[in-house]
């Protein structure tokens, strides 16, 4: 509307026009960030899924004679999944950021992009940690995490069309970060989500330490 009507731009003013640009960017960035973070989570889950492949192929028969602790074995799959997910999220997000600034007339606000970049890290960490609990306690049911992540992603992504209540959205880590960067993620919420991820990782290790590997 403002492009087609220069008089409207003069009435609104340059400052308000830039603010409107950033408001549109924020809402669009919510959808883009959720989609990228979901792909990053899937990549991390695929790394953790490698445990099942190694079990079927008999890799642990070869490792039986080595001094390999349960903690090191558990950390290999879980930390590998976490690192891949977070690195993929960061790289993909930075590509979106630089590409957007190349084509937009009003560059993306740095603070807004930083909020989005950091804001989705807790939800990624919690979902990987939930997968670690399944790896430790119920590896045969590990595939359920794909369905859980997919359903919760669709519920949050299509929340307006489905008209879901807030309590339903908060059954997933996405429900606590879904509106970033339109709404800034508080330090308290970010901290307890990261704390929850740490607790789940510890719970997963306890189960991994007690169960049989094959």
């Amino acid at each position: 509307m403002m492009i087609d009507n220069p008089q409207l731009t003069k009435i609104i003013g340059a400052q308000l026009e830039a603010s409107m640009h950033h408001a549109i960017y924020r809402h669009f960035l919510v959808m883009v960030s959720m989609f990228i973070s979901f792909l990053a989570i899937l990549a991390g889950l695929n790394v953790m899924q490698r445990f099942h492949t190694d079990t079927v192929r008999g890799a642990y028969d070869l490792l039986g004679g080595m001094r390999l602790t349960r903690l090191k074995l558990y950390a290999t799959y879980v930390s590998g999944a976490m690192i891949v997910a977070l690195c993929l999220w960061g790289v993909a997000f930075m590509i979106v950021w630089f590409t957007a600034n190349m084509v937009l007339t009003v560059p993306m606000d740095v603070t807004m992009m930083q909020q989005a970049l950091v804001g989705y890290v807790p939800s990624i960490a919690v979902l990987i940690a939930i997968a670690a609990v399944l790896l430790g306690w119920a590896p045969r049911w590990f595939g359920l995490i794909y369905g859980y992540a997919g359903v919760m992603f669709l519920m949050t992504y299509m929340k307006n069309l489905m008209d879901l209540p807030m309590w339903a959205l908060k059954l997933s880590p996405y429900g606590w970060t879904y509106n970033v960067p339109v709404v800034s993620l508080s330090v308290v919420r970010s901290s307890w989500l990261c704390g929850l991820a740490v607790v789940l990782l510890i719970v997963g290790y306890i189960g991994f330490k007690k169960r049989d590997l094959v």
Side-chain angles (χ1 to χ4, degrees):
M1 291 175 60
M2 289 185 292
I3 292 175
D4 295 335
N5 192 342
Q7 296 299 325
L8 181 60
T9 303
K10 293 180 180 179
I11 295 173
I12 291 177
Q15 185 175 0
L16 184 56
E17 180 186 3
S19 178
M20 293 173 65
H21 275 288
H22 291 307
I24 295 174
Y25 294 163
R26 287 178 186 273
H27 284 86
F28 182 74
L29 195 58
V30 169
M31 297 184 294
V32 175
S33 298
M34 284 192 59
F35 186 73
I36 296 176
S37 64
F38 178 66
L39 294 180
I41 290 170
L42 290 182
L45 295 179
N46 289 338
V47 172
M48 201 180 298
Q49 178 72 14
R50 180 59 189 264
F51 177 84
H52 176 71
T53 304
D54 292 342
T55 303
V56 172
R57 292 179 178 178
Y60 300 111
D61 295 336
L62 302 176
L63 297 174
M66 300 176 60
R67 299 182 61 184
L68 184 64
T69 64
R70 291 289 185 100
L71 178 59
K72 186 175 182 180
L73 187 61
Y74 175 79
T76 299
Y77 291 99
V78 175
S79 63
M82 192 73 74
I83 291 172
V84 167
L86 294 178
C87 287
L88 182 59
W89 158 246
V91 171
F93 188 87
M94 295 302 293
I95 292 174
V96 171
W97 188 352
F98 290 130
T99 304
N101 284 336
M102 290 175 60
V103 299
L104 293 175
T105 55
V106 179
M108 292 277 194
D109 182 64
V110 175
T111 303
M112 174 183 66
M113 300 302 290
Q114 290 175 343
Q115 289 174 350
L117 179 62
V118 177
Y120 284 87
V121 169
S123 60
I124 295 174
V126 170
L127 274 167
I128 296 296
I130 294 174
V133 173
L134 288 176
L135 178 68
W137 291 93
R140 294 184 179 181
W141 299 96
F142 185 83
L144 292 177
I145 191 63
Y146 288 95
Y148 169 76
V151 170
M152 291 302 165
F153 167 76
L154 289 176
M155 287 174 58
T156 311
Y157 194 79
M158 304 179 67
K159 59 185 181 298
N160 293 329
L161 293 176
M162 301 176 69
D163 194 22
L164 295 172
M166 185 56 65
W167 66 264
L169 296 178
K170 290 187 176 181
L171 294 175
S172 163
Y174 277 121
W176 300 92
T177 60
Y178 76 96
N179 217 19
V180 176
V182 174
V183 177
S184 300
L185 184 65
S186 66
V187 176
V188 175
R189 180 173 295 184
S190 178
S191 299
W192 77 257
L193 283 173
C194 291
L196 176 62
V198 173
V199 171
L200 291 174
L201 291 174
I202 296 174
V203 171
Y205 170 66
I206 294 173
F208 190 87
K209 185 178 181 180
K210 292 182 178 182
R211 73 175 180 83
D212 295 331
L213 292 182
V214 294

